[in-house]
Each structure stands twice: as structure tokens, then as C-alpha cells.
Amino acid sequence: MKYNIAVIPGDGIGPEVTEQAKKVLNAVGVVYNHTFIYDEGLMGACAIDETGNPLPNDTLELCKRSDAILFGAIGDPKYDNDPSAKVRPEQGLLKLRKELGLFCNVRPVKAYDKLIEKSPLKKEIISGTDISIFRELTGGIYFGIKELSDDGKVAFDGCSYSVEEIERIAHLAFLEARKRSSKVTLVDKANVLETSRLWRKTVTKLAKQYPDVSLEFLFVDNAAMQLILNPKQFDVILTENLFGDIISDEASVIGGSIGLLASASIGDSTALFEPIHGSYPQAKGKGIANPLASILSAAMLLNHLGLVEEAKAIERAVEKSLELEITTVDINSDKPFSTTVAGDFIADYVQNQQDTDMNFQNIYLGQSTII
Ligand code: IPM
Ligand code: MN
């Protein structure tokens, strides 16, 4: 089959990790007989520099007509340190999410056995953790009314949610729970926020349609604590936009590195796949960025296109790279490999999945691992 993939490398380490994901997709293409046609678009700080607009119309149109979107990262320190900037790179991503109706962001968090020692958390606490975070992505305080008083002394961010916005992501979370351990935990702040009370009411009602799935509630402050005290208690976490942003970064510590966490944003039209790590500008161009989150995002992209076997091939290759420690410095400080070599290994392994056919010596020489 032929697939049109919109590629948005973005800022910082975005381009270098996305390059590895493309390389791995190409390897999948060779083995399973698919053609991935990539078309690049600008978004973020690089788009502002070139066009003045963080999401040029060309990029939006490209995304709309593609089968899927592979995105790198967004953000640049020159905007982070300038609160008065009129245009910000992040506006590009937020607009893209809104325009494409990408209301559901899925962030899987898994403790890989091989990396258990890399996490600052105790291994008996994190071992066996397997969570899927469902973060609402096009509503809440991110998209509410924003105001600053004329004298600049009072600021306002509004937060609103409708029953419809809550229901559509809740259905997806319950359906996912059915394929997993049949438990949904709704994370909210219903003891304080009106929007959270609407989430609880709506989700409680909707849960009756899924009697085989159990539903639990946690206030977000408690959830933040439970996530590192006893992460194994979670299966699917369902939550609103801001809480999901915060707890998914927190949860990444369980996996040993934020460089491993992939995500899928799905909704009304073309779905988008991206690592949850940011643009990590300090690492840009140094060849030290971990490509695994981007590569695992490509696996989620394949799953979304119904290419389940193909996605599994990538996941197996990633596990092999972890097992053999052909990984970057964030998870391999003793003998780190570069972004490109880590990506090469995974692409090679996808193309040649028999251990016996691999020449692991070559990897140290920066050569292909296929004999
Ligand atoms: C994320 C990021 C974005 C968000 C930023 C870049 C706008 O942190 O995808 O988690 O806050 O949603
Ligand atoms: Mn975030």
C-alpha cells in the first residue's frame, strides 16, 4: 500500500529524531511492501523565522490531505524567555490540534525491564507498570478566553468543557480499557472546579454503557502522588487537557527517560503522532537525542493505519535495542550511541529480525548491522 505522510520536523531535536523514525518506516516499507511518501511542512519557531506564522496555511493543508502526520518537537528558548512575544511557536501546534479536531491524546507509559534501574524510582514500585493516559487535547484552559488587563496587572485564563467534549474522549478511553485491564481512572479536581464536576457526572453516566469496565476517581493532586507511589494501580487514565499535560510528564519518569514516550493525537481527521518530549534545544545537532519516542510514535502511526504486524516489528526492534543497549546517553551513560546509530540499528533490525543474522560488531564501527 501507499501512504502519504505529512512530516513536520519542527524545532530543536525534532528534525534529527524524526529522521530516525522515517528511516524505520522505510525499513517497514521494504519488509512489508508499503511505500511511505513524505511531504514536509513547517511549524513552530522555524516557521515563524521563515514565514512569520507558526502554522503556515500550506502546512495545515498538507496535514489535511495526508493519511497521517509525523511531528517532531516545538519550542525555542528565544520565545520561552520573552513573555511579551506576540507570536509563539506553541501556537502552531495548538492551532493544528484545534483545526484537525485532535481531541484525544494517547500517551502510553511502560516500565521496560531493561531500563528499570535507570528510573530514579525504586524498581519494586515501577516494575510491571503499563498505563495508557487519555488526555483531552482541544478544550479546557488551553483554549479558553485569555485576558490581560490594560494596566497589565491582572491576567485571566478561562476553562470550559461541554458534555459532548467529555463524552467523545471518554468513549475512546473505555474502549481502550476493554482491550487492556478494564479499568478507567478519571483524574480531576471535582472538589474545587465546576468543569471537573461536569467531567465526573458525564463520565459516571457514560460508564453504564461499559459495565465490564470499572471506573475510579482521583483528584489530580492525589493522582500526582499515586503515580509515583503505586503506578501499577493504573490501567487507563482519563483526564482533561492541563492535568494530562502535567501528569504525563511526571509519568515519563517511570519509563526511565522522557526520551521514550510516544503519543498519538486522534480525532476528526488526520491523526498526528509525536514524541512527548520537547525540542530540547541544548541537544540540537549534537547527535545525542534519544530517537526512541519518535520511532515508537511511528509504531503508533502504523497501528492507527491498521498495520498492526508492522507496528509490532518496530516495537520488537526497540526492545532489542534496549536489550543490547544500543541506546543514547540519556539511558546509556556508560557506552552511549549517537541518535543516528540508534536509529540505524532499529531500522536494520526491522529489516532483519533474526538475531543470528545480525552482526552486532558492526554497530560499534557505525556500519550496517545486516551481514
Ligand atoms: C505537549 C506540550 C505542549 C502542550 C506544548 C508544546 C504546547 O507540552 O504536547 O505536552 O502543552 O500540550
Ligand atoms: Mn507537555
Side-chain angles (χ1 to χ4, degrees):
M1 286 276 287
K2 255 191 190 155
Y3 298 94
N4 291 304
I5 312 291
V7 178
I8 306 179
D11 304 323
I13 59 167
E16 46 203 287
V17 294
T18 309
E19 210 42 54
Q20 310 314 311
K22 276 166 62 183
K23 197 189 280 175
V24 173
L25 282 175
N26 288 338
V28 166
V30 171
V31 180
Y32 297 90
N33 216 0
H34 302 300
T35 309
F36 297 103
I37 302 159
Y38 308 107
D39 218 333
E40 278 199 13
L42 285 173
M43 184 168 82
C46 57
I48 301 177
D49 290 347
E50 242 178 76
T51 71
N53 181 351
L55 177 63
N57 215 30
D58 288 355
T59 304
L60 184 57
E61 290 308 315
L62 164 69
C63 290
K64 284 186 180 160
R65 62 170 187 267
S66 300
D67 296 309
I69 307 158
L70 187 63
F71 167 56
I74 210 160
D76 188 292
K78 75 178 175 218
Y79 298 94
D80 294 347
N81 303 329
D82 178 9
S84 65
K86 290 262 173 313
V87 224
R88 314 185 63 82
E90 291 79 4
Q91 287 164 349
L93 179 59
L94 297 178
K95 181 164 178 221
L96 185 65
R97 289 173 178 168
K98 196 69 171 178
E99 291 275 342
L100 297 178
L102 302 173
F103 60 84
C104 178
N105 184 224
V106 184
R107 298 185 161 183
V109 177
K110 208 168 128 179
Y112 288 95
D113 285 342
K114 188 70 198 179
L115 293 179
I116 273 278
E117 308 286 348
K118 309 283 176 200
S119 172
L121 302 172
K122 289 201 180 95
K123 75 169 182 228
E124 55 278 19
I125 289 186
I126 58 174
S127 160
T129 299
D130 184 356
I131 307 173
S132 192
I133 300 176
F134 274 60
R135 166 189 176 195
E136 202 288 328
L137 205 58
T138 51
I141 200 163
Y142 270 63
F143 292 94
I145 296 165
K146 299 183 192 309
E147 278 169 6
L148 183 64
S149 64
D150 290 343
D151 64 3
K153 289 193 172 156
V154 184
F156 173 85
D157 285 291
C159 178
S160 82
Y161 267 111
S162 68
V163 168
E164 195 201 337
E165 285 174 310
I166 298 166
E167 280 180 348
R168 60 187 182 178
I169 184 171
H171 278 300
L172 297 181
F174 277 88
L175 289 171
E176 181 65 13
R178 270 194 176 154
K179 293 192 229 147
R180 297 169 44 98
S181 305
S182 298
K183 179 172 158 185
V184 170
T185 305
L186 176 65
V187 169
D188 63 23
K189 189 72 188 169
N191 49 347
V192 176
L193 302 177
E194 202 55 51
T195 42
S196 284
R197 287 191 274 273
L198 187 63
W199 270 84
R200 260 194 203 208
K201 199 170 143 197
T202 308
V203 173
T204 305
K205 195 166 156 206
L206 181 141
K208 298 205 170 71
Q209 297 172 46
Y210 303 88
D212 50 320
V213 177
S214 66
L215 173 63
E216 289 186 0
F217 307 99
L218 270 187
F219 295 140
V220 62
D221 45 354
N222 187 12
M225 183 175 67
Q226 295 295 331
L227 253 181
I228 46 173
L229 267 184
N230 177 18
K232 280 186 278 241
Q233 70 184 288
F234 297 109
D235 178 23
V236 172
I237 291 180
L238 169 63
T239 191
E240 58 107 87
N241 204 343
L242 181 62
F243 299 159
D245 180 46
I246 297 167
I247 64 165
S248 57
D249 267 35
E250 185 196 4
S252 74
V253 179
I254 296 168
S257 168
I258 197 166
L260 279 162
L261 254 67
S263 88
S265 302
I266 51 185
D268 301 332
S269 64
T270 320
L272 177 145
F273 301 84
E274 61 168 311
I276 88 153
H277 60 67
S279 56
Y280 191 13
Q282 306 84 333
K284 182 181 174 175
K286 292 193 182 151
I288 57 171
N290 189 340
L292 292 185
S294 184
I295 292 170
L296 288 168
S297 298
M300 293 184 89
L301 181 155
L302 294 176
N303 261 324
H304 186 76
L305 294 175
L307 307 176
V308 179
E309 266 316 301
E310 289 84 338
K312 283 206 185 102
I314 296 186
E315 285 159 12
R316 276 196 302 270
V318 166
E319 297 217 4
K320 191 49 103 180
S321 79
L322 295 176
E323 190 188 313
L324 299 174
E325 297 185 319
I326 301 170
T327 45
T328 45
V329 67
D330 52 317
I331 47 177
N332 184 1
S333 50
D334 294 344
K335 210 189 290 160
F337 290 87
S338 72
T339 309
T340 314
V341 173
D344 284 344
F345 172 80
I346 292 168
D348 281 357
Y349 194 81
V350 165
Q351 281 203 52
N352 196 338
Q353 297 172 33
Q354 304 297 317
D355 288 6
T356 48
D357 294 342
M358 307 277 291
N359 178 353
F360 296 119
Q361 295 305 319
N362 281 350
I363 198 80
Y364 295 98
L365 303 171
Q367 295 166 1
S368 169
T369 47
I370 296 178
I371 304 171

